[in-house]
Amino acid sequence: MEIAHALNRIPSSYIREILAAASDKNVISLAGGLPDEQTFPIELMKPALERLSQMPEVFQYGATAGYGPLIQHLCERFALPETHTVMMATGSQQGLDLIARAYINPGDRVVMEAPSYLGAMQVFGLAQAEIVGVSQNEQGPDLAELELCFKTQTPKMFYAVPDFHNPTGVCWSLETRKQVAKLCYQYDVTLIEDAPYRELRFTGTMLPMASEFCLDKAIVLRSFSKIASPGLRLGAVSGPRELIDPMVKVKQGADLHSSVPMQALLLGLLENSGFDQHIATIRALYQGRYQALFDALDAQLPSPCRVYPVDGGMFVWVELPSCDTFALAKSLLANGVAVVPSPVFYPNPNEASSALRLNFTNAQPEELVEAVSRLAQGLKQAIV
Amino acid sequence: MEIAHALNRIPSSYIREILAAASDKNVISLAGGLPDEQTFPIELMKPALERLSQMPEVFQYGATAGYGPLIQHLCERFALPETHTVMMATGSQQGLDLIARAYINPGDRVVMEAPSYLGAMQVFGLAQAEIVGVSQNEQGPDLAELELCFKTQTPKMFYAVPDFHNPTGVCWSLETRKQVAKLCYQYDVTLIEDAPYRELRFTGTMLPMASEFCLDKAIVLRSFSKIASPGLRLGAVSGPRELIDPMVKVKQGADLHSSVPMQALLLGLLENSGFDQHIATIRALYQGRYQALFDALDAQLPSPCRVYPVDGGMFVWVELPSCDTFALAKSLLANGVAVVPSPVFYPNPNEASSALRLNFTNAQPEELVEAVSRLAQGLKQAIV
C-alpha cells in the first residue's frame, strides 16, 4: 500500500541514526535531549501511584479535554483568565500536532526561528504547511525580519520557544517578547509559545511569557517531561476557549483522550508539598552540569569556534567556521563523542550556518569534560 | 484563527449531545459504549502498579513503537509471523488515526460496512477520504456488493469489525471471512480489521480473524479497553513490518510514544495468571445483561420492530419501520431511556434504514428490563 504523499515531507530522521550510534558505550552522547532519570520524582509520585488502585473511575473512559481535577488545578496554576482553558495532550508533542491538524491547510505559512525544534518541523511538514524561517540573534528573533515576514507572507502562526530555545539555548529578552506580541496583534498572526524548558532556569530572573502580552492571540504548550517525567506523556495546551475547542474535536479522533491514571498521578505530584523543592533540585543539578560543560568548552574550543552562555534549558550551541557539519559529526562520533549538526534544525538545511548542538542534562560533569576534550581534539583535526 | 478545511468533514457529535443528556439520573442510558467499571481488573494490576515505583526506566522517553517487553509479549500472544510486528498506540483509536494519516490522500476511497463505527468515520473524514458504504447482512458484508465496489471504485482499504460489529452486533461467518480475504488479494485492497470486541464472545466458538486469511494484506487493531481498562489508553496495531513502519514514523510526530508506565502495567496484567479467568468473568457478566435485555425486547417490542440475537460484544440493533429516528430518540429520552438513532452510523445519513443501537454492558439487568419497558412504551406511542 502506497504511503500518503504528506509523509514524503517528514525530514529524514538523522537524529535517530545518530542516537542509535550514540548508544555505543564508548561514545559519550551529547546528542540526545533526555532529562536525567535520577531527576524523576518517583518518591514524590509514590503516594499518588498507590492511590490509583482505589480510584476505579480513572480507569474508565475520560473526557477528551482531560481529567477534570487536573484541568482545574492547571487553570489555577497558570492563572488563566475566565475566557481561557486547558486541554491535556499525550505529551506537548501531541499538543503541537493537534494545533497543526486543527488549523493548517496545505500551503499555509508557519513562521519559526531558524534553527528550530525538529519535532515542530516534522508536525508542520506533515500538515503540509510552508515553513518560513526567520533568523535569530541573542535577544530572540530578528524583529525587522520578523515584521517583514509577517507583512509580506501573511503567515497563520508563529511557532516559538522563547525560554531556552532548542537547539540554541537563546532566551528572548523582555523587549523582544513585547515586540513579538505587538507584531502578532498587528498582523493577525497567532503565537504558538512552546515552553518545555521554562522551569529549567538556573540563573537570572524568570521573564513573563511572550504570550502574556498577546493572551488572546496565543496558544501555549507546556511539557511535564522535564519537571515530572517524559514517560507519562503529558503536556498541557492552553489558550482562549475558541482556539482550544477545535483541537479537542481533533483529539477525539486522534486518541479519544490521554491516559487518565497518568493524569491523576501528575495531579498528585503537582499537589505534593515537595514539588517546588524538587524543581529547585533539578535546576541545581543541571546548572552544575552546564557549568562543567561551558567551562571546558570555554577553555578548550579552538578559537574560530564560539559557544554562547545560557541561563537554563538543556542545550548549548557551538558556532563553527563554515564546514560540512555532517562529516564533522561523523568524525566526532568515531572520536567517541556524539553531537547533532546544525542543518537538521533548519527548515531549509542548505541555509544552515555551521554549528553543533550539545546537550548537558544526561551526562555526569566528568563525562561532559571528557566529551569536550574529544570534541576539541576532533575540531582541531577537522577544521582548524 | 480559521480552522482547517478538513475539520468541516467531521460528523457532528450528536452522540456527545445524547450522552450529555443521558447523564440525567432519571434516564437509563443504553446510548453509550462503556464497559462496566466493576470489570476493571484493578486487583490483578495492583502488583504491577506497585512495581512501577521501582522502575525508573519506564518514566524516561521510550521507543515510538512501544515498550520492548510488551511488544515481545504481544508478538507471541498474537502468534505473529517473523515478517510481522506490533506497534503500541494511545488506544486503538490512535491506531486507526495513524493508519489514515500514513496511507490516505484526500479523495482516496475507504470502504466500510454501512452502518459503521462512528470513530472510524471521523478519522477517515478528517483525512479527507471518500467513504464508500457497503450493506451488511447477518453473515457480514454483502459479498456481491463488496466485489462490485472493489472492482469499480478501486478503494485503498476496507475497514471492518468482523467480531460483534459496532453498531449492529453482527459477527461475520467463517465463509465471509475467507471470501473477504480473497477479494482483498484479488483487488489489491488492504483489510483494516478492528477487533475491540473479539474477546467478548459469550456463546458459540471463536472464529479465525478475517485477516488470518490475508495476513500480508491486513492491518489489525486490538483494544485493551474492554478486557483491561479504557483509561490506560492502549491499543495494539499489528501487520507486516512494511505496513507498520510508516505509521511509526507518523506516531513520532503525533505523540512520540504512548505512556510507558501504562504499557508496563498492561504487560504485568497480561502476564498475571488470573487474567484468563478475569476475561471469563467479564463474559459471564455481559452475557447475563445481554440475556436480560434481549429477553425483554423479545417479549415487549411491538411487532414491526425487530431485534437480532448476538453472540458477544456490547450492542444490539433494533430495526424499526421507517421513521424519523432522531425525533424518536428525543421522545424516548423524554420517556427516560437514551438510545442512539441509526443515521449517525452511516457515512451518508440519508441512506440509513431506521434502527436504534442499544448498549447492554453498563447497566444492571433490572435497569435494562426497565429501559425496555420505557422503550417499548415510547415505540408504541411514536410509531405503531
Side-chain angles (χ1 to χ4, degrees):
Chain A
M1 187 161 50
E2 206 180 312
I3 60 168
H5 305 322
L7 261 72
N8 299 321
R9 311 205 18 158
I10 302 185
S12 73
S13 57
Y14 174 82
I15 281 205
R16 293 247 136 186
E17 287 166 40
I18 217 167
L19 288 179
S23 67
D24 178 334
K25 69 178 186 325
N26 296 315
V27 170
I28 301 175
S29 178
L30 311 184
L34 303 186
D36 192 317
E37 236 171 78
Q38 80 171 81
T39 66
F40 301 159
I42 297 179
E43 281 307 310
L44 294 183
M45 291 194 278
K46 221 169 167 178
L49 201 52
E50 281 163 10
R51 271 200 306 276
L52 290 179
S53 58
Q54 267 78 59
M55 300 170 76
E57 70 279 10
V58 302
F59 290 89
Q60 186 55 284
Y61 282 109
T64 301
Y67 178 55
L70 177 62
I71 298 284
Q72 199 180 337
H73 175 96
L74 293 177
C75 284
E76 286 164 26
R77 177 176 281 261
F78 303 154
L80 299 185
E82 261 307 297
T83 50
H84 284 221
T85 190
V86 165
M87 180 192 74
M88 290 306 297
T90 308
S92 68
Q93 180 69 36
Q94 189 196 34
L96 199 51
D97 190 43
L98 294 176
I99 290 171
R101 297 179 76 184
Y103 291 106
I104 298 296
N105 291 312
D108 279 351
R109 293 196 187 87
V110 174
V111 179
M112 46 181 86
E113 289 164 281
S116 202
Y117 170 52
L118 190 60
M121 290 192 286
Q122 281 183 328
V123 156
F124 288 114
L126 196 58
Q128 304 185 61
E130 192 183 313
I131 299 175
V132 184
V134 162
S135 48
Q136 191 187 51
N137 58 42
E138 287 177 71
Q139 311 298 313
D142 181 303
L143 291 170
E145 202 182 316
L146 188 70
E147 176 159 14
L148 186 65
C149 169
F150 280 11
K151 191 185 286 185
T152 60
Q153 312 253 344
T154 59
K156 202 154 189 179
M157 47 182 80
F158 176 30
Y159 168 80
V161 185
D163 287 292
F164 320 121
H165 181 266
N166 176 3
T168 63
V170 163
C171 184
W172 292 9
S173 68
L174 179 62
E175 189 52 29
T176 294
R177 291 168 196 243
K178 289 180 181 170
Q179 288 301 321
V180 166
K182 200 174 136 196
L183 291 174
C184 283
Y185 273 126
Q186 190 175 345
Y187 295 98
D188 191 23
V189 175
T190 302
L191 175 66
I192 311 299
E193 178 160 18
D194 194 1
Y197 313 112
R198 183 166 166 80
E199 282 80 10
L200 301 183
R201 173 185 284 278
F202 37 72
T203 44
T205 315
M206 188 175 264
L207 297 172
M209 301 186 88
S211 52
E212 290 178 43
F213 302 108
C214 56
L215 267 183
D216 295 323
K217 288 211 72 65
I219 299 175
V220 178
L221 296 160
R222 288 178 178 87
S223 168
F224 297 100
S225 294
K226 281 75 190 180
I227 54 174
S229 107
L232 308 178
R233 298 279 73 225
L234 291 175
V237 190
S238 62
R241 278 173 204 281
E242 68 273 16
L243 287 180
I244 301 298
D245 286 348
M247 298 170 61
V248 176
K249 204 170 168 185
V250 180
K251 184 168 168 69
Q252 208 190 323
D255 63 4
L256 292 180
H257 60 82
S258 301
S259 165
V260 195
M262 293 290 92
Q263 294 182 66
L265 181 63
L266 177 63
L267 177 61
L269 174 66
L270 295 173
E271 287 179 338
N272 190 306
S273 59
F275 186 65
D276 286 347
Q277 179 53 49
H278 158 70
I279 294 185
T281 307
I282 299 180
R283 285 182 187 136
L285 178 79
Y286 289 166
Q287 176 166 33
R289 293 180 179 186
Y290 161 70
Q291 209 58 56
L293 178 73
F294 186 82
D295 292 349
L297 288 168
D298 202 37
Q300 296 185 52
L301 271 188
S303 65
C305 304
R306 182 166 174 195
V307 58
Y308 292 89
V310 298
D311 291 330
M314 299 175 63
F315 307 106
V316 295
W317 190 242
V318 175
E319 286 182 356
L320 308 175
S322 184
C323 67
D324 178 344
T325 51
F326 282 104
L328 174 65
K330 213 171 156 183
S331 81
L332 289 170
L333 199 56
N335 222 25
V337 59
V339 298
V340 186
S342 53
V344 305
F345 300 110
Y346 281 78
N348 181 355
N350 299 325
E351 290 172 3
S353 35
S354 298
L356 301 173
R357 187 191 76 174
L358 312 183
N359 166 265
F360 55 80
T361 58
N362 200 28
Q364 299 296 329
E366 53 279 14
E367 292 174 305
L368 292 165
V369 170
E370 172 58 27
V372 172
S373 297
R374 297 177 189 182
L375 174 70
Q377 191 188 35
L379 284 173
K380 278 169 196 155
Q381 283 165 5
I383 55 172
V384 185
Chain B
M1 187 162 51
E2 207 180 311
I3 60 168
H5 304 322
L7 261 71
N8 299 322
R9 313 208 11 161
I10 300 184
S12 73
S13 58
Y14 174 80
I15 282 203
R16 293 248 135 186
E17 285 166 42
I18 216 167
L19 288 178
S23 66
D24 178 334
K25 70 179 184 328
N26 296 315
V27 171
I28 301 176
S29 176
L30 311 183
L34 303 186
D36 191 317
E37 235 172 79
Q38 80 171 83
T39 67
F40 300 159
I42 297 179
E43 280 307 310
L44 294 181
M45 291 195 278
K46 219 169 167 178
L49 201 53
E50 280 163 11
R51 271 199 306 277
L52 290 178
S53 58
Q54 268 79 58
M55 301 170 74
E57 70 279 11
V58 302
F59 291 89
Q60 186 55 283
Y61 282 110
T64 302
Y67 179 55
L70 177 62
I71 298 284
Q72 199 179 337
H73 175 96
L74 293 178
C75 285
E76 286 164 27
R77 175 176 282 261
F78 303 154
L80 299 185
E82 260 307 296
T83 50
H84 284 221
T85 192
V86 165
M87 179 191 76
M88 292 306 298
T90 308
S92 68
Q93 179 70 35
Q94 190 197 33
L96 199 51
D97 189 45
L98 295 175
I99 291 172
R101 297 179 76 184
Y103 291 107
I104 297 298
N105 292 311
D108 280 352
R109 291 195 188 87
V110 174
V111 179
M112 47 180 84
E113 290 165 281
S116 202
Y117 169 52
L118 189 61
M121 291 192 286
Q122 280 183 329
V123 156
F124 288 113
L126 196 57
Q128 303 185 62
E130 191 182 314
I131 299 176
V132 184
V134 162
S135 49
Q136 191 188 51
N137 58 43
E138 286 177 70
Q139 312 297 313
D142 181 304
L143 291 169
E145 201 183 315
L146 189 70
E147 177 159 14
L148 186 65
C149 169
F150 279 12
K151 192 186 283 184
T152 58
Q153 311 253 346
T154 60
K156 201 156 189 179
M157 47 181 80
F158 176 30
Y159 169 80
V161 186
D163 288 291
F164 320 121
H165 181 267
N166 175 1
T168 63
V170 163
C171 184
W172 292 9
S173 69
L174 180 61
E175 189 51 30
T176 295
R177 290 168 196 244
K178 289 179 180 171
Q179 288 303 321
V180 166
K182 202 176 136 193
L183 291 175
C184 284
Y185 272 126
Q186 192 176 342
Y187 294 99
D188 191 25
V189 175
T190 302
L191 175 66
I192 310 300
E193 181 162 15
D194 194 0
Y197 314 111
R198 184 168 166 78
E199 282 79 11
L200 300 184
R201 175 185 284 278
F202 36 72
T203 45
T205 315
M206 188 174 264
L207 297 171
M209 302 186 88
S211 53
E212 289 179 44
F213 302 108
C214 57
L215 266 183
D216 295 324
K217 287 211 73 67
I219 299 175
V220 177
L221 296 161
R222 288 177 179 88
S223 168
F224 297 100
S225 293
K226 281 76 191 181
I227 55 175
S229 107
L232 307 178
R233 296 281 72 223
L234 291 175
V237 191
S238 63
R241 278 174 204 282
E242 68 272 18
L243 287 181
I244 302 298
D245 287 348
M247 297 168 62
V248 176
K249 205 169 166 185
V250 180
K251 185 170 168 66
Q252 207 189 324
D255 63 5
L256 292 180
H257 61 81
S258 301
S259 163
V260 196
M262 292 290 93
Q263 293 184 68
L265 181 63
L266 177 62
L267 177 61
L269 174 66
L270 295 174
E271 287 180 338
N272 190 306
S273 60
F275 186 65
D276 287 347
Q277 179 54 49
H278 158 69
I279 294 186
T281 306
I282 298 180
R283 285 182 187 136
L285 179 79
Y286 289 165
Q287 177 166 34
R289 293 181 179 184
Y290 162 69
Q291 210 58 57
L293 178 72
F294 186 81
D295 292 349
L297 287 169
D298 202 37
Q300 296 186 52
L301 271 189
S303 65
C305 304
R306 185 169 170 191
V307 58
Y308 292 89
V310 299
D311 291 331
M314 299 174 66
F315 306 106
V316 295
W317 189 243
V318 175
E319 287 182 355
L320 307 175
S322 184
C323 67
D324 178 345
T325 51
F326 281 104
L328 174 65
K330 213 170 157 184
S331 81
L332 288 170
L333 200 56
N335 222 24
V337 59
V339 298
V340 186
S342 52
V344 304
F345 300 110
Y346 281 78
N348 181 352
N350 298 325
E351 290 171 5
S353 35
S354 298
L356 301 173
R357 187 190 77 174
L358 312 184
N359 166 265
F360 55 80
T361 59
N362 201 27
Q364 299 297 329
E366 54 279 14
E367 291 173 306
L368 292 166
V369 170
E370 172 59 24
V372 172
S373 296
R374 296 178 189 180
L375 175 69
Q377 191 189 33
L379 284 174
K380 279 169 197 156
Q381 285 167 1
I383 56 173
V384 184

